[in-house]
């Protein structure tokens, strides 16, 4: 299954180029022209089970029938996450997923899932092309809070918020993705020795500790910290990446980011307090303070 299959599923859309890709997933820019009007979308293709060599090895170990059930469970889980996400279509702060399709090979041992979104651009790509002003960073924080507020309405927590989960929608708004309907299962497979995995996680993402909505606002605060700290995590300049992650998770007091943001720095440092009781209780409360900063920045720009 390849790009021809994607075009067969979405015949009215042309895949322009690849926005981003990983081992078993690609995000494409797609466009559709009708008369003088051209519309843009992002198309995510996910190949399940993914790596062919690993898949064949697993198939040989499990046997064909057990392997087929295994692949089916992976597909069911991914479709469950996508359908959950579709329930938030057009809601503030969350990516808009418009269509979802899947096809399988002849014996149901491999699937291609295709999801079409409204236009989205990964945060890293957005920054590479446009840079990121302080105002835009604050706007990002506000928009992500709105997305987390939507999840909270369903008593749901993201628990895996990283820069890779944040997208720009081309209309001056940032949105989140990466929503896993079994997010609490993350804690069972969490490798606390994997610093890359732990880079933006709150200290309490340990199976033995309580988590709350400010577990997500902690991750958001840490993302904002890096944006205002020359792209580096707390302590990274002095201790390197792995040393910085471990030092932060140990409970070390975090210094202000390199950018002298005044009130903004206070908001960020509050959101990433080691003690959850000292953080914002909800994303709404964090957004209120960010909006105050954003409005003052807007007033300063008008006064110039």
């Amino acid at each position: 299954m390849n790009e021809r299959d994607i075009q067969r599923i979405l015949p009215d859309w042309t895949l322009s180029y690849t926005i981003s890709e990983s081992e078993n997933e690609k995000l494409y820019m797609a466009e559709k022209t009708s008369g003088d009007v051209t519309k843009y979308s992002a198309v995510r293709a996910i190949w399940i089970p993914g790596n062919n060599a690993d898949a064949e090895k697993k198939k040989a170990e499990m046997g064909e029938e057990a392997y087929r059930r295994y692949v089916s469970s992976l597909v069911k889980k991914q479709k469950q996450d996508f359908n959950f996400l579709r329930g938030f279509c057009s809601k503030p702060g969350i990516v808009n997923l418009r269509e979802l399709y899947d096809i399988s090979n002849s014996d149901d041992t491999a699937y291609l899932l295709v999801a079409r979104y409204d236009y989205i651009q990964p945060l890293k790509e957005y920054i590479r092309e446009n840079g990121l002003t302080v105002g835009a960073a604050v706007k990002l924080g506000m928009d992500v809070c709105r997305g987390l507020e939507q999840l909270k309405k369903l008593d749901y927590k993201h628990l895996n918020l990283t820069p890779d989960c944040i997208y720009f929608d081309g209309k001056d708004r940032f949105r989140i993705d990466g929503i896993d309907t079994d997010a609490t299962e993350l804690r069972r497979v969490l490798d606390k020795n994997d610093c890359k995995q732990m880079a933006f996680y709150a200290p309490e993402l340990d199976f033995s500790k309580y988590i709350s909505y400010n577990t997500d606002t902690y991750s958001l605060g840490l993302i904002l910290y890096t944006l205002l700290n020359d792209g580096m995590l707390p302590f990274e300049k002095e201790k390197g990446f792995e040393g910085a992650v471990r030092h932060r998770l140990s409970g070390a007091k975090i210094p202000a980011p390199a950018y002298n943001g005044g009130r903004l720095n206070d908001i960020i440092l509050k959101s990433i307090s080691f003690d959850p009781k000292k953080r914002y209780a909800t994303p709404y409360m964090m957004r209120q303070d960010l909006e105050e900063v954003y409005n003052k920045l807007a007033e300063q720009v008008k006064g110039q």
Side-chain angles (χ1 to χ4, degrees):
M1 290 177 281
N2 52 38
E3 291 182 1
R4 288 193 299 273
D5 295 297
I6 301 173
Q7 288 289 184
R8 181 162 57 86
I9 293 172
L10 298 171
D12 296 333
W13 293 88
T14 300
L15 302 180
S16 303
Y17 59 89
T18 299
I19 299 173
S20 63
E21 62 181 300
S22 59
E23 187 176 6
N24 68 322
E25 179 177 327
K26 280 190 177 183
L27 185 67
Y28 298 91
M29 171 63 72
E31 58 183 76
K32 177 175 70 173
T33 300
S34 178
D36 296 330
V37 178
T38 300
K39 296 182 178 180
Y40 298 93
S41 279
V43 173
R44 173 168 275 122
I46 300 178
W47 287 267
I48 296 176
N51 185 288
N52 288 333
D54 291 344
E56 289 301 319
K57 181 180 178 181
K58 199 170 191 71
K59 184 176 180 181
E61 292 173 347
M62 298 178 70
E64 190 158 333
E65 186 58 35
Y67 181 74
R68 188 179 291 112
R69 290 196 300 270
Y70 163 72
V71 171
S72 177
S73 69
L74 294 179
V75 173
K76 182 179 179 180
K77 174 62 174 63
Q78 185 64 70
K79 290 175 72 174
Q80 176 180 308
D81 291 347
F82 275 137
N83 284 322
F84 180 77
L85 182 62
R86 288 180 75 182
F88 293 95
C89 193
S90 299
K91 298 292 185 181
I94 298 181
V95 295
N96 292 332
L97 196 159
R98 297 293 181 180
E99 300 177 273
L100 176 64
Y101 305 91
D102 71 87
I103 57 173
S104 67
N105 62 0
S106 58
D107 60 0
D108 292 334
T109 58
Y111 282 76
L112 169 63
L113 269 62
V114 177
R116 185 181 70 80
Y117 301 78
D118 286 351
Y119 170 83
I120 51 175
Q121 181 182 31
L123 175 61
K124 291 180 180 177
E125 290 294 321
Y126 171 83
I127 293 174
R128 187 162 26 246
E129 291 185 8
N130 304 283
L132 192 74
T133 64
V134 175
V138 177
K139 180 69 164 54
L140 179 154
M142 292 159 49
D143 290 344
V144 171
C145 280
R146 289 189 178 94
L148 296 177
E149 288 171 49
Q150 294 298 321
L151 296 181
K152 185 178 181 298
K153 289 179 181 179
L154 295 181
D155 193 26
Y156 187 84
K157 304 171 186 71
H158 193 290
L159 301 186
N160 192 27
L161 189 62
T162 71
D164 291 338
C165 298
I166 300 176
Y167 295 83
F168 179 68
D169 71 358
K171 299 176 182 178
D172 197 32
R173 291 188 293 263
F174 295 91
R175 297 177 179 269
I176 58 173
D177 194 3
I179 298 171
D180 185 335
T181 51
D182 288 333
T184 52
E185 292 295 310
L186 166 73
R187 302 169 78 190
R188 296 186 180 180
V189 298
L190 194 60
D191 181 357
K192 290 184 286 183
N193 294 316
D194 184 346
C195 290
K196 185 175 181 181
Q197 185 184 23
M198 298 294 295
F200 291 92
Y201 285 178
E204 66 270 17
L205 270 174
D206 174 324
F207 193 67
S208 64
K209 295 179 180 178
Y210 176 75
I211 58 172
S212 185
Y213 299 105
N214 62 21
T215 299
D216 283 334
T217 54
Y218 180 103
S219 295
L220 171 58
L222 199 55
I223 292 168
L224 293 175
Y225 186 105
T226 62
L227 294 176
L228 300 177
N229 196 51
D230 302 323
M232 292 186 289
L233 293 164
F235 312 114
E236 187 173 355
K237 186 175 182 180
E238 302 82 8
K239 297 181 177 293
F241 175 74
E242 292 190 2
V245 173
R246 293 195 177 97
H247 196 53
R248 173 180 63 81
L249 293 173
S250 72
K253 183 178 180 181
I254 298 177
Y259 172 75
N260 184 15
R263 174 66 176 137
L264 177 57
N265 284 5
D266 294 338
I267 294 170
I268 291 171
L269 292 176
K270 177 177 180 177
S271 70
I272 57 176
S273 296
F274 186 77
D275 182 353
K277 294 178 182 178
K278 295 181 179 180
R279 301 177 201 158
Y280 291 98
T282 67
Y284 172 74
M285 294 173 68
M286 183 174 178
R287 177 166 65 86
Q288 282 187 309
D289 281 357
L290 287 171
E291 285 180 346
E292 179 186 323
V293 171
Y294 186 79
N295 290 335
K296 287 184 177 179
L297 288 172
E299 290 175 5
Q300 290 173 6
V301 171
K302 287 182 180 179
Q304 292 177 353

